[in-house]
Amino acid sequence: MIADLQQLVDSVGDRLGRSVALDDSNLHILVTTTHPGEVDQARVESLVRRAFPKAFLQYVASFGAWESRDIFTLPARPELGIAIARIGIPVRYENVLQGFLWLLESEGPLSETHADLLRETAEDAALVLHRRFLLGELERRRERELARDLLTTDPQLRCEAATSLVDEDLLAAGPVAVLAVTLPHPAAEPLADKDRLAIAVGLDRARRRLPAGHAIQLERPDHGVLIVSHLGPRSEAGLTDLGTILRDTVVRETGRARPECWVGIGDKRKALADCHASYVEARRATDVAAVVRVLGSVVHHRQLGVYSLLARVTPEDLRLSLHPGLHKLRDHDSGNDGLTSTLETFLDNAGSAKRTAELLCIQRASLYYRLRRIQEIAEVDLDNGEDRLALHQSLKIARLLGLSAAR
């Protein structure tokens, strides 16, 4: 398709005797002819970066380019690097905008004959771009179908999907990991349409940071999935970067705060057919991150620690396993004494009074007083290893269940 578009702009460029550029509907440059005449900084940057600067895009929008139906002129704007005015025409297929054809006004006026030729070229380009869109849709549909099969619990189906993805050049073979992303929503209900669209945009942006064939995406009713293949030696850092890009894009698209978008990253597997396990881990990481906020909003499965095991137990069984002493502390903390958080900090730091006092910004004498009160209220002995283990585990379960320190 790109070859067809290049041939098209080269042909009209020769007939017009001037340079021609074709962008998609987002002003990302697709193809361009050579530039025998003068060009300005905006054109140079568009050629080097393969995209127009943001300020230029906003300037074009201010002239109603996306609503135009015929040839229009974009005046020069030197402060934006646009020293030369542009002549543009929208490329539309059945009134749907596919892109823009651009000429440089500095290469001479546009006669009526040449204007008609430009209109004909826009129609031809619209057909090519529409076919390109349809083929892309077919490819995406096939990709989604195989991605679903790749994440199923059926080993045979996973192997067949992995083989097809590689054979059809949709995904490269090699080590693979899965990222999952979700947003707050009622249990057992799908995400709102706006949130699903934001997740699709986030997945697409993260995917575009990788070479072609190194990732595929899948949008599901309550979450999104990015399958990343052909991972290199620095894959862990790279996956974290991708997760951050994914989260930040979704947050920007929805207007939410960062802690309200959770990205889980599954562990790496050696082969595509084994990525289902990574997917399960990624989903578990998002579930845990949503309730255990101290882990952050971009979480690797390996970071979950004991939460990974606890997340496999039903919420009701987890509640039943809570140490009775923790219930007493939480009841007492309704008076905002902070004894539960003191206990958690103390146990998280292996019983180090010095470190706990520093983290809580209190004197060590105050800490010892709190610890005595905790033992009295919870009826436990913090010098006893069994009591400390049971309380520490219960605190982690309480976080996983989303229980606050006080009832």
Side-chain angles (χ1 to χ4, degrees):
M1 289 297 177
I2 292 296
D4 292 340
L5 293 171
Q6 186 67 60
Q7 184 177 4
L8 190 63
V9 299
D10 285 342
S11 175
V12 72
D14 289 341
R15 295 173 67 182
L16 294 175
R18 58 201 302 162
S19 59
V20 182
L22 174 64
D23 295 345
D24 66 15
S25 58
N26 294 314
L27 293 185
H28 297 141
I29 195 163
L30 295 172
V31 291
T32 183
T33 61
T34 56
H35 299 274
E38 178 186 4
V39 295
D40 58 17
Q41 187 60 33
R43 175 54 67 89
V44 171
E45 290 189 7
S46 74
L47 290 171
V48 172
R49 301 182 185 180
R50 303 300 291 176
F52 284 105
K54 183 178 180 180
F56 179 78
L57 188 150
Q58 293 172 335
Y59 180 61
V60 175
S62 70
F63 279 84
W66 279 268
E67 291 77 36
S68 63
R69 291 292 187 275
D70 199 12
I71 296 170
F72 62 93
T73 299
L74 186 70
R77 187 77 177 271
E79 62 269 31
L80 294 179
I82 308 171
I84 306 170
R86 264 78 167 164
I87 299 171
I89 183 171
V91 176
R92 294 182 178 276
Y93 181 84
E94 295 184 349
N95 290 324
V96 177
L97 184 65
Q98 305 287 331
F100 294 94
L101 279 168
W102 297 101
L103 310 177
L104 296 178
E105 195 175 62
S106 62
E107 295 179 345
L110 191 66
S111 69
E112 190 56 40
T113 300
H114 283 177
D116 288 341
L117 177 58
L118 191 61
R119 293 186 183 100
E120 291 175 12
T121 304
E123 291 178 3
D124 292 340
L127 287 171
V128 177
L129 288 173
H130 183 62
R131 288 200 302 271
R132 182 173 181 258
F133 168 77
L134 292 178
L135 286 174
E137 279 297 296
L138 289 173
E139 184 175 281
R140 282 188 288 273
R141 189 177 303 140
R142 175 63 172 160
E143 178 186 289
R144 288 192 293 267
E145 175 187 309
L146 292 174
R148 284 193 294 268
D149 290 348
L150 194 63
L151 300 179
T152 186
T153 56
D154 186 334
Q156 182 176 346
L157 203 55
R158 293 203 303 265
C159 288
E160 292 173 356
T163 300
S164 296
L165 283 164
V166 174
D167 289 348
E168 296 173 30
D169 292 326
L170 295 175
L171 194 61
V176 62
V178 176
L179 286 76
V181 57
T182 193
L183 290 161
H185 64 281
E189 291 187 18
L191 290 165
D193 288 344
K194 178 184 176 183
D195 289 343
R196 293 184 67 181
L197 178 59
I199 283 178
V201 172
L203 291 170
D204 183 68
R205 186 179 179 207
R207 175 181 180 171
R208 289 176 184 274
R209 297 297 294 266
L210 299 169
H214 282 220
I216 57 174
Q217 67 192 73
L218 178 65
E219 295 85 45
R220 291 195 150 173
D222 61 348
H223 66 281
V225 182
L226 188 69
I227 302 171
V228 183
S229 184
H230 203 66
L231 295 169
R234 294 190 68 253
S235 59
E236 186 171 310
L239 290 171
T240 301
D241 290 342
L242 279 179
T244 302
I245 291 168
L246 175 53
R247 178 203 62 194
D248 290 350
T249 303
V250 173
V251 163
R252 185 177 65 251
E253 292 291 322
T254 59
R256 296 178 183 272
R258 283 185 177 180
E260 291 185 309
C261 176
W262 306 291
V263 177
I265 304 173
D267 295 338
K268 184 167 65 173
R269 296 300 190 279
K270 291 183 179 180
L272 282 180
D274 299 326
C275 79
H276 173 263
S278 184
Y279 169 63
V280 171
E281 292 168 348
R283 292 285 288 131
R284 186 178 300 138
T286 60
D287 291 343
V288 172
V291 292
V292 186
R293 301 301 179 91
V294 294
L295 294 174
S297 55
V298 179
V299 182
H300 283 262
H301 178 261
R302 58 166 182 75
Q303 293 176 272
L304 299 183
V306 68
Y307 292 119
S308 176
L309 177 62
L310 296 177
R312 306 181 195 191
V313 183
T314 66
E316 183 58 31
D317 286 341
L318 288 174
R319 286 189 181 89
L320 292 173
S321 71
L322 287 173
H323 192 288
L326 182 60
H327 289 301
K328 296 175 182 178
L329 278 179
R330 291 177 60 238
D331 284 338
H332 184 84
D333 271 349
S334 60
N336 297 318
D337 287 345
L339 295 182
T340 305
S341 60
T342 296
L343 175 62
E344 185 168 19
T345 304
F346 178 70
L347 295 176
D348 281 347
N349 286 276
S352 169
K354 179 176 182 296
R355 180 63 178 155
T356 302
E358 289 174 351
L359 289 171
L360 295 175
C361 299
I362 60 175
Q363 296 293 325
R364 212 175 299 186
S366 297
L367 172 63
Y368 290 137
Y369 170 76
R370 291 188 187 183
L371 293 176
R372 284 196 298 273
R373 291 288 295 134
I374 288 168
Q375 292 183 110
E376 292 170 1
I377 294 168
E379 300 180 13
V380 294
D381 180 2
L382 292 180
D383 289 329
N384 181 285
E386 291 294 330
D387 281 355
R388 284 167 67 157
L389 176 61
L391 284 170
H392 205 186
Q393 177 177 288
S394 291
L395 286 163
K396 300 310 176 187
I397 291 172
R399 280 198 176 275
L400 190 60
L401 293 172
L403 301 177
S404 59
R407 297 199 213 227

